Amino acid sequence: MRAPVRAIRPARALSSTPAAFCSPRPADRAHALPPDHEISARVERGVGEGTWRYRARIIVHAPESHVRERLPIPVQIESLGADRCAFTPGSDHPLQLALYVGMLDADFEVVDAPELADALRTLIARYRRALPD
């Protein structure tokens, strides 16, 4: 069911004064917007994270810079010292997530992510079978 159409008087439609809803916001707003680069970083991060079906907290035994260089998208990384950091990657499938984490080229720990742990076990078994005896 469509909403009824609102009638606007011709005099109001042709008025040179913009309606209140079209006027710019005052410059001294109480809630100032963050800088443009921060807004774009938030949107970029949110777009990637919002579509992930599986997420896991990972502690990586490598510096934050090492992990950041190997990630295809910007992700928040928490430094846990000079040679450890943590982040929360995500993926549409636990096996994909396991492969991504494995490509960091560093030791890591899975924190409370049973789907990822199962996917890692599956890959370990598959890779073992692929090796000659």
Side-chain angles (χ1 to χ4, degrees), residues 2-132:
R2 294 182 66 169
V5 177
R6 182 176 167 209
I8 299 175
R9 294 188 317 256
R12 183 172 179 187
L14 300 174
S15 172
S16 62
T17 309
F21 59 86
C22 293
S23 61
R25 294 180 175 162
D28 60 342
R29 291 179 42 202
H31 302 289
L33 293 174
D36 288 346
H37 68 280
E38 188 175 324
I39 292 172
S40 63
R42 286 183 189 177
V43 169
E44 192 173 308
R45 188 172 49 249
V47 166
E49 291 177 0
T51 61
W52 293 337
R53 187 170 174 195
Y54 296 95
R55 298 176 61 94
R57 180 161 168 83
I58 305 293
I59 296 175
V60 183
H61 296 272
E64 177 184 351
S65 59
H66 175 86
V67 174
R68 191 169 304 284
E69 290 170 0
R70 285 157 178 79
L71 295 176
I73 62 171
V75 174
Q76 283 186 311
I77 301 174
E78 175 188 354
S79 179
L80 301 176
D83 61 346
R84 289 180 63 212
C85 63
F87 73 112
T88 307
S91 181
D92 292 333
H93 195 280
L95 280 172
Q96 286 178 328
L97 186 54
L99 292 170
Y100 295 153
V101 174
M103 290 190 301
L104 291 175
D105 194 28
D107 290 341
F108 61 91
E109 300 170 35
V110 177
V111 181
D112 194 28
E115 297 94 350
L116 177 57
D118 290 342
L120 287 167
R121 286 185 194 96
T122 299
L123 288 175
I124 289 168
R126 182 170 296 140
Y127 291 156
R128 279 193 183 138
R129 288 190 304 271
L131 293 174

